[in-house]
């Protein structure tokens, strides 16, 4: 008989691993239950972390004391900062990962976390007593008690794999589905739905002709995800490659449409809008004569290749024939075909902002069970659920990030307040305060908050304090020091900026479009000598804060104004259906979601500004 735990985490994917690590590092005893100990932190889809907006989330996880950034750095084979041609609010770090090393490193980190125990089994049902979760019952019939349970089941709940006209139960290829939990939760009053995702074929890199493709190397001076000193930037990197589909590929793919589970109606769940299958792409975008294919190595020492952009559930023979018409793939050997997978999820409006369910106390959902897609979205939910489960059972208040504080706050608020009926993916466009929520300042925004709760350690806070001090010193230098026209005019003319007629402060020149910090290092001895004592990240932080000072201040003011609504709390015992001055849709939505603040109420679809005014009057404003 296993002991009683503070927290049981069900599922050891990205959400489960972060949840277990967070709760354990804060002091809870944690049991991580997985159906297969060999697939902890498995990268089920593409071997990469980060990307547009997702990279910001990984840096936020790291700033809060989570492990995803560290594991990504230690197992990366390539680093790229995406969107460098745009402003810093859009810069997004991304690594290509060694799939096998990634899972191995996560497991090692969890095994070195003293409060985490492991158990290999399927959880078939929850132990619920008086509307509160009290543990789990496993497939082997064991009852394991706990104070809180976090469900991070990924694609395993009644998972169904589709390849052509064949389908079979499974949570991912070669692994069985999880049964029992959905049916129990529905019996307890939860609403469930079906979603779909897919993955492309894996192929033998030795059978590809890379001379027919475009090489995509990593950054010349690679950075890293983690703010800590436990990881270092890559010294060597592996390239990815780009090739394209063509009309011949599309015609071959169309021959399989009659057996496609997507078009025959065998798949009921909605797939991710922003990561469609190749058959969906050629059907929806019939005017496009080609689609980009990213040829991504699965690790340092493997020949296995991930064919990014070719997600499909068409029959294997159609996949093989179509692949062979892609430039560079003429002699391709396939390791395994792509497939689609359908699985159960629970619409996330059934949660509060801590990711605790509204129906069952101390039961938390994180990851794809909430309708999200992507490792990064799952990992940050796991982290927040782990933190909040620990805080709840130890009698502390909740930890909720506002939309102006983190992409994680945006994601959770979107899910809980607006819900989702298709796999939710994070984008920079979802964040109204993205100038504040940059990838370079996640540590400044979040580390002290986490440290106050007992997760991010004191070493991290010391590093943040040092970074703030260095940034302030650099900004002071640029606001105090002047530069002679003769020193900078040649560079200004080069970029098409007006020449100087007299000495001016360096700060005012740096504010000009096209002028960079390195220009001062190149032309001013005093600037070069002063900046040489600082780390690159401190210099970058100061440069961004100076160049975008006005924009940052404007967005900060806007966030402060909106924050006033977040401070107006809404009583949980209000019967919104009795407030006849509200529109009928507002009464229905408010009663269902039960917002905690006026700010959250204002973001509910169907609640108008007029409804918010009515609520203000009712609340005594």
């Amino acid at each position: 008989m296993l002991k009683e735990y503070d927290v049981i985490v069900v599922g050891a994917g990205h959400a489960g691993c972060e949840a277990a690590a967070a709760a354990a590092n804060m002091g809870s005893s944690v049991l991580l239950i997985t159906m297969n100990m060999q697939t902890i932190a498995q990268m089920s889809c593409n071997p990469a972390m980060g990307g547009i907006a997702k990279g910001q989330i990984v840096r936020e996880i790291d700033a809060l004391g989570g492990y995803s950034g560290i594991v990504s750095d230690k197992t990366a084979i390539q680093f790229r900062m995406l969107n460098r041609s745009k402003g810093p609010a859009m810069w997004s770090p991304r690594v290509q990962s060694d799939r096998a090393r990634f899972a191995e490193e996560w497991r090692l980190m969890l095994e070195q976390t003293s409060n985490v125990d492991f158990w290999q089994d399927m959880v078939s049902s929850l132990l619920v007593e008086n509307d509160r979760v009290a543990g789990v019952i496993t497939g082997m019939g064991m009852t394991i008690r706990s104070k809180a349970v976090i469900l991070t089941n990924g694609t395993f709940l009644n998972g169904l794999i589709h390849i052509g006209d064949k389908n079979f139960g499974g949570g991912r290829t070669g692994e069985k589905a999880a049964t029992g939990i959905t049916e129990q939760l529905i019996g307890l009053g939860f609403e469930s739905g079906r979603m779909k995702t897919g993955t492309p074929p894996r192929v033998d890199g030795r059978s590809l002709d890379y001379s027919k493709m475009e090489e995509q190397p990593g950054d010349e001076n690679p950075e890293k995800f983690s703010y800590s000193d436990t990881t270092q930037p890559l010294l060597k990197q592996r390239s990815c490659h780009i090739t394209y589909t063509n009309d011949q590929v599309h015609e071959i793919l169309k021959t399989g449409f009659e057996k496609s589970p997507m078009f025959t109606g065998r798949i009921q769940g909605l797939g991710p809008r922003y990561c469609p299958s190749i058959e969906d792409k050629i059907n929806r975008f019939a005017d496009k004569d080609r689609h980009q294919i990213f040829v991504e190595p699965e690790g340092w020492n493997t020949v296995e290749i991930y064919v990014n952009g070719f997600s499909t559930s068409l029959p294997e023979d159609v996949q093989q024939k179509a692949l062979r018409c892609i430039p560079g793939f003429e002699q391709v050997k396939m390791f395994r075909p792509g497939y689609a997978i359908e699985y159960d999820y629970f619409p996330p409006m059934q949660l509060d902002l801590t990711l605790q369910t509204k129906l069952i106390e101390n039961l938390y959902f994180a990851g794809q069970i909430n309708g999200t897609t992507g490792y990064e979205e799952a990992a940050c939910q796991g982290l927040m659920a782990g933190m909040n489960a620990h805080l709840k059972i130890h009698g502390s208040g909740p930890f909720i990030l506002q939309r102006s504080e983190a992409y994680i706050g945006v994601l959770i608020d979107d899910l809980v307040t607006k819900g989702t009926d298709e796999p939710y993916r994070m984008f920079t466009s979802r964040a109204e305060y993205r100038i504040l929520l940059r990838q370079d300042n996640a540590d400044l925004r979040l580390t002290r908050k986490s440290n106050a709760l007992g997760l991010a350690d004191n070493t991290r806070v010391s590093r943040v304090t040092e970074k703030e001090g260095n940034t302030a010193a650099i900004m002071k230098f640029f606001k105090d020091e002047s530069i002679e026209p003769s020193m900078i005019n040649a560079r200004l003319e080069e970029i098409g900026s007006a020449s100087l007629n007299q000495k001016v402060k360096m700060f005012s020149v740096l504010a000009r479009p096209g002028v960079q910090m390195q220009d001062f290092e190149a032309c001013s001895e005093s600037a070069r000598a002063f900046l040489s004592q600082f780390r690159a990240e401190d210099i970058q932080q100061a440069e961004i804060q100076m160049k975008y000072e006005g924009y940052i201040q404007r967005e900060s003011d806007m966030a402060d104004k909106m924050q006033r609504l977040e401070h107006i709390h809404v009583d949980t015992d209000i019967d919104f259906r009795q407030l006849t001055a509200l529109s009928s849709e507002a009464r229905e939505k408010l009663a269902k979601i039960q917002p905690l603040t006026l700010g959250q109420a204002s973001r509910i679809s169907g609640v108008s500004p007029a409804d918010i005014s009515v609520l203000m009057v009712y609340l005594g404003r």
Side-chain angles (χ1 to χ4, degrees):
M1 181 66 183
L2 293 177
K3 69 175 188 180
E4 179 173 343
Y5 287 85
D6 289 328
V7 179
I8 290 176
V9 178
V10 181
H14 299 260
C17 288
E18 286 288 5
N25 284 326
M26 291 173 78
S28 283
S29 59
V30 176
L31 180 66
L32 179 59
I33 304 181
T34 173
M35 292 198 293
N36 187 350
M37 289 283 290
Q38 308 311 311
T39 55
I40 288 173
Q42 176 91 306
M43 292 182 129
S44 307
C45 204
N46 64 320
M49 286 292 282
I52 307 300
K54 293 167 175 278
Q56 281 89 325
I57 289 176
V58 177
R59 299 214 92 188
E60 289 177 353
I61 291 170
D62 184 76
L64 288 165
Y67 286 167
S68 288
I70 293 171
V71 173
S72 297
D73 286 344
K74 288 184 174 182
T75 60
I77 64 174
Q78 186 195 88
F79 182 95
R80 293 181 67 218
M81 186 67 77
L82 308 182
N83 280 343
R84 275 285 196 192
S85 61
K86 299 179 180 177
M90 307 297 284
W91 297 353
S92 300
R94 181 186 190 271
V95 297
Q96 198 69 30
S97 300
D98 185 310
R99 184 190 297 278
R101 282 279 302 110
F102 184 93
E104 179 189 31
E105 187 63 37
W106 245 118
R107 178 164 171 168
L108 289 172
M109 291 193 75
L110 286 170
E111 288 178 352
Q112 290 158 20
T113 304
S114 58
N115 285 337
V116 176
D117 288 348
F118 302 87
W119 187 253
Q120 180 170 294
D121 201 351
M122 183 181 82
V123 170
S124 56
S125 63
L126 302 169
L127 197 60
V128 179
E129 299 170 352
N130 300 319
D131 295 330
R132 175 185 291 215
V133 76
V136 301
I137 300 169
T138 75
M140 290 194 291
M142 292 186 62
T143 296
I144 311 171
R145 297 187 69 87
S146 66
K147 298 185 180 76
V149 173
I150 303 172
L151 293 183
T152 70
N153 303 79
T155 59
F156 282 77
L157 291 179
N158 294 320
L160 188 62
I161 291 172
H162 297 267
I163 303 175
D165 53 10
K166 295 176 288 197
N167 62 60
F168 46 91
R172 62 183 159 228
T173 185
E175 296 180 65
K176 66 179 183 179
T179 56
I181 291 178
T182 296
E183 294 74 16
Q184 182 192 16
L185 289 173
I186 290 171
L188 289 168
F190 285 87
E191 176 191 343
S192 77
R194 293 286 272 176
M195 279 189 178
K196 166 251 171 190
T197 189
T199 194
R202 312 299 202 270
V203 303
D204 189 336
R206 297 169 299 183
S207 64
L208 303 181
D209 183 353
Y210 293 101
S211 68
K212 296 182 178 179
M213 308 178 198
E214 302 167 21
E215 186 179 6
Q216 190 179 44
D219 286 351
E220 193 174 329
N221 297 303
E223 297 178 36
K224 63 192 187 84
F225 270 122
S226 183
Y227 293 100
S228 73
D229 293 323
T230 57
T231 64
Q232 299 302 320
L234 287 169
L235 297 176
K236 63 172 185 171
Q237 304 186 66
R238 272 197 77 172
S239 290
C240 297
H241 289 79
I242 298 173
T243 184
Y244 297 88
T245 63
N246 51 49
D247 287 335
Q248 191 179 2
V249 175
H250 298 175
E251 290 307 313
I252 292 170
L253 291 170
K254 286 174 185 174
T255 66
F257 278 11
E258 62 187 32
K259 289 188 175 180
S260 167
M262 276 192 56
F263 299 131
T264 57
R266 284 194 304 279
I267 291 182
Q268 301 297 316
L270 269 175
R273 178 191 300 257
Y274 303 102
C275 188
S277 64
I278 189 68
E279 55 264 39
D280 199 18
K281 279 193 267 194
I282 62 175
N283 187 52
R284 278 166 51 191
F285 307 109
D287 56 317
K288 303 280 185 189
D289 55 11
R290 68 176 193 171
H291 293 283
Q292 212 167 32
I293 300 293
F294 295 93
V295 182
E296 300 180 344
E298 297 252 334
W300 285 115
N301 303 312
T302 178
V303 297
E304 190 171 354
I305 295 293
Y306 180 88
V307 190
N308 196 343
F310 204 86
S311 173
T312 181
S313 56
L314 290 170
E316 305 97 301
D317 59 329
V318 177
Q319 294 185 35
Q320 179 88 24
K321 278 175 66 178
L323 280 172
R324 291 202 160 188
C325 294
I326 295 173
F329 280 69
E330 292 83 0
Q331 306 299 321
V332 70
K333 293 177 183 176
M334 197 157 67
F335 282 167
R336 73 165 196 246
Y339 62 87
I341 182 166
E342 267 189 296
Y343 55 93
D344 294 335
Y345 86 105
F346 291 83
M349 288 193 291
Q350 299 170 99
L351 308 175
D352 65 26
L353 288 167
T354 69
L355 299 180
Q356 180 183 226
T357 66
K358 293 174 182 174
L359 284 175
I360 304 296
E361 191 176 356
N362 293 356
L363 175 63
Y364 295 77
F365 292 173
Q368 283 176 286
I369 192 172
N370 290 336
T372 59
T373 178
Y375 308 143
E376 303 82 3
E377 290 90 341
C380 74
Q381 291 174 70
L383 177 79
M384 296 298 285
M387 293 178 76
N388 277 303
H390 168 86
L391 292 168
K392 175 84 187 321
I393 63 179
H394 287 87
S396 300
F399 179 52
I400 296 169
L401 290 169
Q402 303 298 328
R403 297 181 71 91
S404 57
E405 292 177 321
Y407 272 91
I408 297 173
V410 174
L411 181 144
I412 292 175
D413 185 67
D414 277 355
L415 292 175
V416 172
T417 305
K418 302 173 184 175
T420 185
D421 56 7
E422 61 181 59
Y424 177 101
R425 178 180 178 178
M426 180 51 73
F427 290 102
T428 49
S429 58
R430 294 192 191 272
E432 57 270 54
Y433 307 114
R434 56 185 174 271
I435 296 175
L436 301 181
L437 309 183
R438 306 183 310 276
Q439 58 84 32
D440 59 86
N441 70 352
D443 53 342
L444 306 182
R445 290 185 273 121
L446 301 173
T447 297
R448 283 199 180 90
K449 293 178 186 293
S450 179
N451 176 259
L453 300 173
L455 185 52
D457 61 28
N458 292 334
T459 306
R460 289 200 173 242
V461 174
S462 299
R463 211 172 185 284
V464 167
T465 303
E466 182 186 1
K467 182 175 176 179
E468 287 173 335
N470 290 345
T471 301
I474 295 167
M475 291 174 68
K476 184 177 187 306
F477 176 85
F478 270 72
K479 289 181 177 181
D480 290 347
E481 290 290 312
S482 298
I483 191 164
E484 296 282 354
S486 59
M487 299 166 75
I488 194 80
N489 274 347
R491 174 58 182 155
L492 294 177
E493 288 168 17
E494 196 179 308
I495 62 172
S497 189
S499 300
L500 299 180
N501 297 319
Q502 59 186 30
K503 259 198 335 183
V504 297
K505 300 295 183 190
M506 289 182 179
F507 174 81
S508 65
V509 180
L510 181 65
R512 293 186 181 192
V515 179
Q516 297 177 316
M517 197 75 95
Q518 62 201 44
D519 296 327
F520 296 93
E521 292 182 89
C523 69
S524 165
E525 182 61 45
S526 64
R528 184 162 55 250
F530 180 76
L531 293 174
S532 66
Q533 61 189 307
F534 299 104
R535 293 186 303 238
E537 67 175 280
D538 300 332
I539 296 170
Q540 182 189 72
Q541 184 63 217
E543 180 174 14
I544 291 170
Q545 288 195 27
M546 286 188 282
K547 283 189 76 70
Y548 297 91
E549 191 177 51
Y551 296 101
I552 291 169
Q553 187 58 52
R554 190 181 311 158
E555 202 159 274
S556 187
D557 291 344
M558 189 167 70
D560 289 343
K561 193 178 293 183
M562 284 303 296
Q563 197 62 29
R564 293 171 202 161
L565 290 180
E566 303 296 341
H567 290 307
I568 303 173
H569 293 279
V570 178
D571 293 336
T572 52
D573 58 356
I574 292 177
D575 186 353
F576 292 103
R577 291 188 174 88
Q578 300 303 313
L579 300 183
T580 53
L582 294 170
S583 67
S584 58
E585 185 179 2
R587 291 200 298 272
E588 179 188 329
K589 294 284 182 67
L590 289 164
K592 182 177 181 180
I593 295 168
Q594 290 290 322
L596 297 178
T597 68
L598 210 54
Q600 188 187 358
S602 72
R603 293 187 293 276
I604 296 172
S605 175
V607 176
S608 69
D611 293 319
I612 295 300
S613 296
V614 170
L615 276 179
M616 276 184 162
V617 171
Y618 179 80
L619 293 170
R621 286 288 298 210

